[in-house]
Amino acid sequence: MKKVLLYLISILVLNACSDEIPEYHESARAKRVVLAYMAANSPFDNIDACIMKNLQWMYESLSTAKDTCTLMVYYKPSNKNQYIKTAEILEFQTDGYGKINGQEILQGSSLTIENVIAQAKHHQAQLGIATNSDIMKENLRIMQDIAPAESYGLILGSHATGWLPSTNAQYSRSFGIDGDTSNAINIPELATTLEQSFPSGNLEFTLFDACMMGTAEVFYELRNATHYCVASVMETPIAGFPYDRFFINLYEDVIDYAKICSETAQFNKENNWWGTYAAVDCTAMGEVAQAIQAELLSHQSELQTLDYTQVQQYGYGEYRYFSFDVVDFISQLNGGVVSANVQSSINKAVIAKDCLDGEEYPLGTLKIAPERFCGMGMYFPGRNISYTWDRYCQSSIAWYNAAGWDKIQP
């Protein structure tokens, strides 16, 4: 009897140690989790409906996963949202075998925003202004506690106006909007918030689904907060990024950033919109700053007479001249020549880019020349473009000193 019992135990132990894949596999700590922080509470337009659609696209792409993948979404809705009435954290986890949150994936006519929200696991979010630094940090902490990972990707979706201060004018809002334009977060504060939220430095990328974030001022500010950053230097179409075309690729060990840029540009082209997109290695921005500083210091006299209206710029309407193409600026400053140091530093920092030809796809009167698009813009302080912008850039934006603007004699 004892021999029979030992034999049975041996069989059970061998089966338990077999290489068969279980029906559901999940590790305590994922390799990467994607977080989305969506501040959709705008009283001015229908961005909430558009961000809801973005969430559906994320789900659609996530449903193709062949392994366990987790998406955590902080969502702050407007009062017009039919499906979410207050700020919540939504969790979506694939099992790699056709289920999300233990349910069959939604597809066909069942793939609706209503059903996507219903299938989510709902968690209590920290209530308060979505763009308040303490509120952001607490909600990012909650999401990381629910879904621990070796690395994270972060999508920030809302309105934005790049590095410009949220209080400089009625419609300037830096990143985010929650109820009115004063409820925003300036870029230096956002950088500190992200550094404190990911103290181990494991924020692999930040994707700005928001306007005008693709500037040297933003990338440099985030150099200690995130490795890569995906953004547009222009105002962006309100529909946002076409996540259904690339979202699942954000879980790969090596992300194809060129695909993100090209797919988004193609999506805009199909809808007869405009667009510039780039992915930047923020950790390389120190070298960019050094190269720019050397050029500025060696061309101080030319700076005073440079006709900046002839440089490729990316602002439209009231934001005209908020940002100039970095390489085109240096080229025109240097008589049509770009120094090897500047070009080399840009080549290292801008790892992918794509844009639509402004002659065919303009934003109003703003036309982008693809051959003059290097992937990022920068402001030209000290030329009276805007006294408020000059003062804020000088007092608050780290790029100002890093790029040598503080050393330029008036």
Side-chain angles (χ1 to χ4, degrees), residues 256-334:
D256 187 349
Y257 288 104
K259 179 177 181 178
I260 297 173
C261 296
S262 63
E263 288 286 2
T264 307
Q266 178 62 28
F267 171 66
N268 290 6
K269 184 176 183 179
E270 292 167 6
N271 287 278
N272 201 34
W273 296 329
W274 61 93
T276 64
Y277 298 93
V280 169
D281 183 345
C282 294
T283 66
M285 286 303 297
E287 187 173 338
V288 175
Q290 291 176 2
I292 296 299
Q293 180 173 147
E295 286 297 300
L296 295 181
L297 293 178
S298 64
H299 293 89
Q300 292 190 53
S301 60
E302 290 91 336
L303 276 171
Q304 306 308 313
T305 58
L306 177 65
D307 183 1
Y308 61 78
T309 65
Q310 300 305 305
V311 181
Q312 175 68 71
Q313 69 92 28
Y314 297 108
Y316 179 65
E318 63 189 302
Y319 301 116
R320 186 173 172 85
Y321 302 132
F322 96 99
S323 198
F324 299 86
D325 190 89
V326 171
V327 169
D328 196 48
F329 185 95
I330 296 300
S331 173
Q332 299 210 35
L333 183 66
N334 196 26

Side-chain angles (χ1 to χ4, degrees), residues 177-195:
I177 186 169
D178 187 355
D180 65 60
T181 55
S182 65
N183 292 330
I185 186 168
N186 287 332
I187 297 309
E189 187 179 12
L190 176 62
T192 300
T193 298
L194 295 183
E195 289 176 37

Side-chain angles (χ1 to χ4, degrees), residues 32 34 61-62 64 69 205 243-257 259-260 263:
R32 179 175 302 134
V34 176
S61 185
L62 189 67
T64 66
C69 295
F205 70 84
Y243 297 101
D244 54 325
R245 303 188 183 197
F246 66 78
F247 182 78
I248 195 61
N249 302 120
L250 299 178
Y251 294 89
E252 295 177 353
D253 291 341
V254 179
I255 298 173
D256 187 349
Y257 288 104
K259 179 177 181 178
I260 297 173
E263 288 286 2

